[in-house]
Amino acid sequence: MTSMPLPERLGSHLKRAEQALSAAKQAALKPAHLTVSQYAALLHLSQSPGISAAALARACAVTPPTMNTVLKNLQENGLIERTPHEWHKNILETRLTEKGERVLAEGDVRAVEVERALAAEFSPQERETLIALLGRCTAFLQSARPTEPRRRPG
Amino acid sequence: MTSMPLPERLGSHLKRAEQALSAAKQAALKPAHLTVSQYAALLHLSQSPGISAAALARACAVTPPTMNTVLKNLQENGLIERTPHEWHKNILETRLTEKGERVLAEGDVRAVEVERALAAEFSPQERETLIALLGRCTAFLQSARPTEPRRRPG
DNA sequence: TTACAATAGTTAGAGCTCTAATGTTCGTCA
DNA sequence: TGACGAACATTAGAGCTCTAACTATTGTAA
């Protein structure tokens, strides 16, 4: 008995597409020795120097422990540096090193190539439609499943 | 310097949507003590009893070692059983146990609820459009990055 | 001052995912 | 019979991801 045929599930198609994109980016970033997650972190980091790990996690839509893992690897490879905040003792400011900027730039060229090639497959109208439809998916799914079931104080 | 603004990247939107869907399914499957990957494996397994792990990996679009990991956990939980093929000594036939069928049925109800709710957010026309656009993403990305760069014999 | 909430950071543990490499079996072909 | 390629299964190792804890700091309110 089949409850719902797979081809009818939007999820199947969404997953396949995301998987294919992720694989393509992974291959594109390989020469720069970057993973997709590392690239995403570096990219946001370059746009918000000194951002905290928690804020970076939010920007990348992952949990703090996940970002912690990614940052640990980036730091071990010398791509970022983390320095204590001047007076906010609980915050570690994260910044790209020179090497980090270089590697990001290298990876970015390849990653953007993939994005451009993909975008070129669609007309501007189609891109708009796709983005809008995906946005509605995300909005619905997030509203149906709140990040934090806010509990009242009393 | 920003090479390509994030909102212009189809990848950003695709990733967000897939992430939201995955999170929703994960939450839906939690009561059945199933992960999204385990659910996908069980679902394909129920439709192709006795399938080999390699074939199952292809169906779920993951690599054999990945499927191996998933199957190991499913087996430890008693949801599947793997028996040597009658005369193909190198193949392990994988099948759902009774418990596996029960748990799958339980999880399936919840997972399909998510799919139906998501589908209900769109008109039939919109669903068709979204699926078609996603299909073109997948097709392009896979063609641009062949699974196996076929090498000629001579 | 003390208590509490919010935020930041971290560790532990489970699970998924990949690439690379190994070993086995099957079928084909010389 | 023997060699070889294709397919299956597995292990090793690196990395990502989550939930569930725990600690520390900051700021606010009793």
Side-chain angles (χ1 to χ4, degrees):
Chain A
M1 200 219 65
T2 312
S3 54
M4 189 178 182
L6 286 174
E8 285 179 18
R9 305 189 184 196
L10 285 177
S12 308
H13 303 275
L14 196 49
K15 188 170 186 179
R16 293 287 168 125
E18 208 282 326
Q19 223 164 11
L21 177 68
S22 186
K25 282 208 177 159
Q26 185 181 339
L29 291 171
K30 198 170 183 182
H33 301 290
L34 283 178
T35 67
V36 177
S37 302
Q38 290 171 348
Y39 168 69
L42 292 182
L43 194 56
H44 281 96
L45 217 37
S46 76
Q47 291 173 12
S48 310
I51 194 178
S52 74
L56 187 55
R58 284 192 292 271
C60 293
V62 299
T63 58
T66 297
M67 185 52 68
N68 194 298
T69 301
V70 176
L71 290 181
K72 203 184 66 183
N73 287 322
L74 286 174
Q75 193 169 23
E76 280 172 4
N77 293 338
L79 303 187
I80 62 169
E81 57 185 4
R82 311 182 70 183
T83 56
H85 189 287
E86 193 164 353
W87 49 272
H88 233 91
K89 293 182 186 172
N90 207 24
I91 291 183
L92 281 177
E93 288 187 324
T94 306
R95 283 193 172 75
L96 292 185
T97 60
E98 268 194 28
K99 180 181 174 188
E101 303 219 15
R102 230 181 316 130
V103 172
L104 170 59
E106 183 189 346
D108 197 50
V109 172
R110 312 294 221 94
V112 170
E113 266 174 23
V114 173
E115 282 285 352
R116 288 206 194 287
L118 176 60
E121 284 289 298
F122 301 95
S123 71
Q125 163 94 62
E126 287 173 329
R127 283 199 291 275
E128 222 175 280
T129 302
L130 179 52
I131 290 177
L133 289 173
L134 289 174
R136 282 168 62 190
C137 282
T138 307
F140 167 72
L141 290 166
Q142 285 180 346
S143 75
R145 190 152 315 289
T147 304
E148 183 81 12
R150 74 280 288 126
R151 57 191 74 237
R152 296 183 306 107
Chain B
M1 201 221 61
T2 313
S3 54
M4 188 177 182
L6 287 173
E8 284 179 19
R9 304 190 185 197
L10 284 178
S12 309
H13 302 276
L14 195 49
K15 188 171 184 176
R16 292 290 168 124
E18 207 284 326
Q19 222 165 10
L21 177 68
S22 184
K25 281 208 178 160
Q26 185 182 339
L29 291 171
K30 198 171 183 183
H33 302 291
L34 283 179
T35 67
V36 177
S37 301
Q38 289 172 348
Y39 168 69
L42 291 182
L43 194 55
H44 281 97
L45 217 37
S46 76
Q47 290 173 14
S48 310
I51 194 178
S52 75
L56 187 56
R58 284 192 293 270
C60 294
V62 298
T63 58
T66 297
M67 185 52 67
N68 193 298
T69 302
V70 176
L71 290 181
K72 204 184 67 183
N73 287 323
L74 285 174
Q75 192 169 22
E76 280 172 4
N77 292 339
L79 303 187
I80 62 169
E81 57 185 5
R82 311 181 73 184
T83 55
H85 189 287
E86 192 164 353
W87 50 272
H88 231 92
K89 292 183 185 172
N90 206 26
I91 291 184
L92 281 177
E93 287 187 325
T94 306
R95 283 193 171 76
L96 293 185
T97 60
E98 269 195 28
K99 181 181 175 188
E101 304 219 14
R102 228 181 319 130
V103 171
L104 170 59
E106 184 188 344
D108 197 50
V109 172
R110 311 296 220 94
V112 170
E113 266 174 22
V114 173
E115 283 285 352
R116 288 205 194 289
L118 176 60
E121 284 289 299
F122 302 94
S123 72
Q125 163 95 61
E126 287 172 329
R127 283 198 292 275
E128 219 175 282
T129 302
L130 179 52
I131 290 177
L133 290 172
L134 289 174
R136 282 169 61 190
C137 283
T138 307
F140 167 72
L141 291 166
Q142 285 179 346
S143 75
R145 191 152 312 288
T147 304
E148 184 81 12
R150 77 276 294 122
R151 58 192 75 237
R152 294 183 308 109

